[in-house]
Amino acid sequence: MPSYRERDIMKNIIMRSLSVVVSAACLFTFSPLAFGQDNNENYQQRLGDISTYLNHTLSEKEIDEQIKETSRRTGESPDSIASRVEKSVRDSVLDTARFSVRSGNTQLPRARHTGDIFVSNNSSFFVWKHGHTGIYVNRDDIVEAVGMFQNAHRVSRKNSVAAGGASILEVKTSQGNRDKAARRAIGYIGRGYNADITDTNRNDWGGLNCSQLVWAAYYYGAGIDLDTGNGEYVWPYDIKNSGYVREYQYVQ
């Protein structure tokens, strides 16, 4: 039979063992909660950053709603979507950060060809500083998607919402393909604006933003993919940087 001292030693060993077990249980119980809290804080921070990059044209609540809807539809986690969108929006804004952005309208020149494209440093309508783009449907008229609560329209080059400096680009293809793209763009007149920044805009299924309209006109009209971005979102400067285009004029 163990002595009193031996029993005390065994009791201490058992108590220390239980303490280790309880500590381990607490670690596994509370670490996920702490991790979830950190994740939530990171998510909220990303919402704020995205809204700031967008110059608060979309609120954190609106961005959160877009992200959760995309998550339900695609199965991608909200954290993953928020991280991807933050990088995409940040990169699009940085593309134009080196240019001086001024308000007011930039009068675009006559195009050399139907189907030419302009990419400007800003838009006089839309306050999100990510550039603007549109397509010439003849040498003097353009089709552009101008912003939320507005429909895609056809307007004289003199009255586009382009602002800041603008690059005038020709697509390196046949005139027949340029004409096809222009006709496709005309078909988009009247479409509402696509303000969803969480899912791809590489389609023409509904509303269109400015770069989506130009990209879709060439992709669906002439089979030419003008997107040079690394993600699923086409931005104006993705089109400007495409290997399929060539700048032939720059206007202030």
Side-chain angles (χ1 to χ4, degrees), residues 190-242:
R191 292 282 191 97
Y193 192 78
N194 176 17
D196 186 354
I197 59 167
T198 64
D199 204 359
T200 182
N201 67 345
R202 287 173 55 91
N203 60 61
D204 67 349
W205 302 337
L208 303 168
N209 53 52
C210 66
S211 48
Q212 183 179 13
L213 186 153
V214 173
W215 173 86
Y218 266 95
Y219 188 77
Y220 293 108
I224 297 173
D225 188 348
L226 296 178
D227 183 22
T228 56
N230 295 321
E232 290 297 303
Y233 216 87
V234 186
W235 301 103
Y237 271 72
D238 292 333
I239 293 172
K240 181 181 177 181
N241 294 331
S242 171

Side-chain angles (χ1 to χ4, degrees), residues 29-176:
T29 301
F30 295 114
S31 288
L33 293 177
F35 179 73
Q37 183 177 2
D38 289 343
N39 259 11
N40 185 59
E41 290 174 357
N42 289 338
Y43 179 76
Q44 292 299 327
Q45 180 63 49
R46 287 194 179 103
L47 293 182
D49 289 344
I50 293 167
S51 183
T52 299
Y53 288 132
L54 300 179
N55 207 21
H56 305 289
T57 52
L58 291 175
S59 68
E60 293 181 30
K61 180 180 178 182
E62 289 171 322
I63 297 165
D64 179 51
E65 290 171 350
Q66 286 188 6
I67 287 173
K68 288 177 178 175
E69 173 58 31
T70 299
S71 178
R72 283 192 293 269
R73 188 171 64 253
T74 65
E76 185 181 0
S77 72
D79 282 340
S80 174
I81 295 170
S83 178
R84 170 171 54 77
V85 170
E86 180 189 21
K87 181 181 186 306
S88 179
V89 173
R90 181 185 67 241
D91 289 350
S92 76
V93 172
L94 291 177
D95 275 335
T96 60
R98 62 187 182 276
F99 298 105
S100 59
V101 175
R102 60 180 175 81
S103 60
N105 170 274
T106 294
Q107 189 172 117
L108 299 172
R110 292 195 80 200
R112 287 182 181 173
H113 324 94
T114 293
D116 285 353
I117 296 166
F118 73 86
V119 176
S120 63
N121 301 339
N122 193 26
S123 161
S124 62
F125 176 84
F126 202 48
V127 292
W128 172 10
K129 314 302 184 189
H130 71 308
H132 180 55
T133 184
I135 181 171
Y136 285 84
V137 293
N138 58 41
R139 295 186 65 192
D140 286 299
D141 293 337
I142 63 165
V143 170
E144 61 184 351
V146 293
M148 290 184 290
F149 315 116
Q150 299 287 321
N151 294 333
H153 63 200
R154 178 173 179 164
V155 66
S156 166
R157 61 183 171 82
K158 299 177 181 180
N159 299 317
S160 165
V161 299
S167 295
I168 313 303
L169 313 165
E170 63 182 6
V171 178
K172 294 183 284 188
T173 187
S174 67
Q175 188 55 50

